[in-house]
Amino acid sequence: MTKPLRVFISSTSEDLKRYRAAAAEVVRDAGWIADVMDHFPADPDPIVVMCQRRMRECDLFLLLQAFRRGGVPGVAQGGDGETSYTAFELRAADQISKPVLLFLADEDTWPGEFHEEESAARAWVRDFRNKVNRSGRFFGPEEGDLSQFKVLIREAVTHHKARLLDGAPDVER
């Protein structure tokens, strides 16, 4: 019996909390292990180091990105005071060619109250989304059980799993 694959799910905290939980549910339903920030234990390492280490221990990186920058760790947390946690995690995934599944909130339908308010932070998010440099799937806002979003995640995870079983390259870049 093969070990279940571990999926690191990265997103900004509050605005995508429901979406992150839905993605984790789909990953677990697929028989995989979801590694999600909501369940990180205490760790003596700086937060950026701990997040990057946990991501490296996973088999797949799943990034949910909307229009918030998210937390920006300072030097004490292992950051630089400018780059978000999600950007540090993605950078670490790219450095080791970790397979990445990208899900982007649709700019035309995502509610404005869930966008950054400050112009510099908005510009950072726009630049980050433009530089992600890989194909992604788009999702819109949903009420209730996020059923359309779950279908989108399920299709991507199922496709990735099939590619692994077929021995195909598993990096979607």
Side-chain angles (χ1 to χ4, degrees):
M1 179 177 202
T2 61
K3 71 178 181 98
L5 295 178
R6 296 183 65 84
V7 180
F8 188 89
I9 301 174
S10 177
S11 76
T12 49
S13 182
E14 293 305 312
D15 60 324
L16 294 174
K17 186 174 190 168
R18 292 176 56 240
Y19 292 83
R20 190 172 56 254
E25 179 183 330
V26 170
V27 166
R28 286 189 298 270
D29 287 349
W32 294 359
I33 298 168
D35 197 352
V36 187
M37 74 166 106
D38 307 88
H39 303 286
F40 288 170
D43 193 292
D45 284 334
I47 298 169
V48 170
V49 172
M50 182 265 301
C51 289
Q52 290 176 330
R53 183 186 69 245
R54 291 183 73 93
M55 184 281 307
R56 285 184 183 101
E57 293 169 353
C58 289
D59 303 293
L60 175 66
F61 182 85
L62 193 149
L63 174 61
L64 310 176
Q65 181 67 41
F67 297 94
R68 293 247 169 109
R69 184 179 191 175
V72 176
V75 175
Q77 292 88 26
D80 59 12
E82 294 180 19
T83 306
S84 73
Y85 287 105
T86 54
F88 275 116
E89 293 161 353
L90 180 61
R91 183 183 302 162
D94 286 344
Q95 288 171 347
I96 60 171
S97 299
K98 179 77 60 185
V100 174
L101 297 178
L102 173 65
F103 299 87
L104 298 166
D106 185 343
E107 191 167 12
D108 295 332
T109 60
W110 202 251
E113 68 264 21
F114 295 115
H115 288 244
E116 286 288 356
E117 294 179 15
E118 181 187 296
S119 61
R122 274 185 184 240
W124 189 95
V125 170
R126 188 174 39 254
D127 186 53
F128 177 72
R129 285 175 60 107
N130 288 336
K131 287 182 177 176
V132 169
N133 194 25
R134 69 193 84 232
S135 63
R137 294 153 182 90
F138 290 91
F139 64 95
E142 286 187 50
E143 297 294 325
D145 68 356
L146 303 179
S147 57
Q148 290 176 306
F149 177 74
K150 287 179 183 178
V151 167
L152 185 67
I153 297 289
R154 189 172 293 110
E155 288 172 352
V157 167
T158 301
H159 176 74
H160 181 77
K161 191 174 189 176
R163 290 174 61 135
L164 287 175
L165 292 173
D166 290 344
D170 55 359
V171 178
E172 294 196 11
R173 301 203 186 271

